[in-house]
Amino acid sequence: MLNKKSVDDINVKGKKVLVRCDFNVPLQDGKITDENRLVAALPTLKKLIADGGKLILCSHLGKPKGEPKPELSLAPVAARLSELLGQEVKFAADDNVVGPNAKAAADAMQDGDVILLQNTRYRAEETKNGEEFSKELASLCDVFVNDAFGTAHRAHCSNVGVTQFVDTAVVGYLMQKEIDFLGNAVNNPERPMVAILGGAKVSSKISVINNLLDKVDTLIIGGGMAYTFMKALGEEVGDSLLEADYLDYAKEMMDKAKEKGVNLLIPVDTVVADDFSNDANIKTVERGGIEAGWQGLDIGPKTRELFADALKDAKTVVWNGPMGCFEMPNFAAGTIAVAEALAEIDATTIIGGGDSAAAVNQLGFGDKMTHISTGGGASLEFLEGKELPGVAAANDK
Ligand code: AMP
């Protein structure tokens, strides 16, 4: 259990509550194309409204790089959030975030009112955790609530700096849920525990592999990162993704798995293509059979079976990274097979954020998983065993 104070431990009646949310949603032509993160924020917001708090919400959106960018304004989020909450969310459109609009709106608030500040990354200090902006944010409120798991792995003004200038800093329900699910899965799992890692690169998941080898019974490696492991075993991988600088590391990890008695599985067959394209020529080859001119873009049918079989008796599964280039339909079968296997088993299934979460949702398996994290980078750093600064900054219980 998370040892941090939460919204259940405070009384916000009549108080101004600054809530750091993760409203970093994808936008297309000013329209929100995936509102999962807004929906995920609602339990905390509804609780604080019901308790009579005056809610001042803040979030970043995209990467405006420290200056106002109209296409990255949070205005569309205020509009949609008003609908989802069934009450007005007043948008305080100050380019400097804590400006005259925000201050006037905050002063005029009644209990249960909600306002939303402009994109915190309009301010260059935000990502540098600068003192001035942190103080300005703190000056708006009596209490601070951090419910933005998606940025918990970063120390910025709006999630870490601000806590130095408020007496009370607690976490929200989403943050609590994320940490409880991920924490239990990794540190207190019901066994057997299986981790599935995929995605493009070994280099971005080095510490995750290393840390998980201390925890799991089985480690499944698919996706682009598998080829570096195959090459480390002396097999040809043709034009597949290969990180030659990480061959020794891959060997080391295979040795570590043996030492720890971890069942490390890599693909036994591969769907290869003669071009990085859905319309390329495609065939399936056995391990060691990837020729020059061909690249592996998905796991093959025997591997799908092998991985599904390894998942059958699992009681806890953590999945981060697709098994192939699932964005192209001809290379999605491996990722679909793993999602199907997870949907069928009687286990706690935790999906890391980012691409894996997108894949599971896009493929229609979202409601079959125990928990889909809202944070890609944050869940990855959690799986690395790191302390997340956004969580550490909240008051201890
Ligand atoms: P990551 O952000 O590291 O989880 O990587 C996700 C990306 O890896 C997705 O966009 C996939 O298309 C890509 N990917 C998965 N398998 C492969 C592969 N075999 N070759 C190239 N890219 C891959």
Side-chain angles (χ1 to χ4, degrees), residues 281-353:
N281 291 307
I282 296 170
K283 59 183 181 179
T284 300
V285 297
E286 303 287 310
R287 268 282 278 284
I290 310 177
E291 301 155 312
W294 293 81
Q295 52 188 297
L297 294 182
D298 195 9
I299 56 174
K302 285 184 192 162
T303 308
R304 283 181 236 149
E305 242 172 73
L306 174 75
F307 288 0
D309 205 50
L311 288 164
K312 226 182 259 156
D313 300 321
K315 284 289 162 205
T316 305
V317 184
V318 175
W319 181 15
N320 190 295
M323 296 291 98
C325 295
F326 75 100
E327 298 94 336
M328 296 189 261
N330 284 335
F331 310 108
T335 303
I336 293 174
V338 166
E340 266 167 0
L342 290 196
E344 272 164 25
I345 59 176
D346 178 22
T348 301
T349 50
I350 314 280
I351 315 300

Side-chain angles (χ1 to χ4, degrees), residues 198-201 204-205 222-225 227 241 276 295-298 320-327 355-356:
K201 291 183 174 172
S204 62
K205 290 180 188 164
M225 60 199 283
Y227 307 106
L241 260 186
F276 188 79
Q295 52 188 297
L297 294 182
D298 195 9
N320 190 295
M323 296 291 98
C325 295
F326 75 100
E327 298 94 336
D355 275 312
S356 343

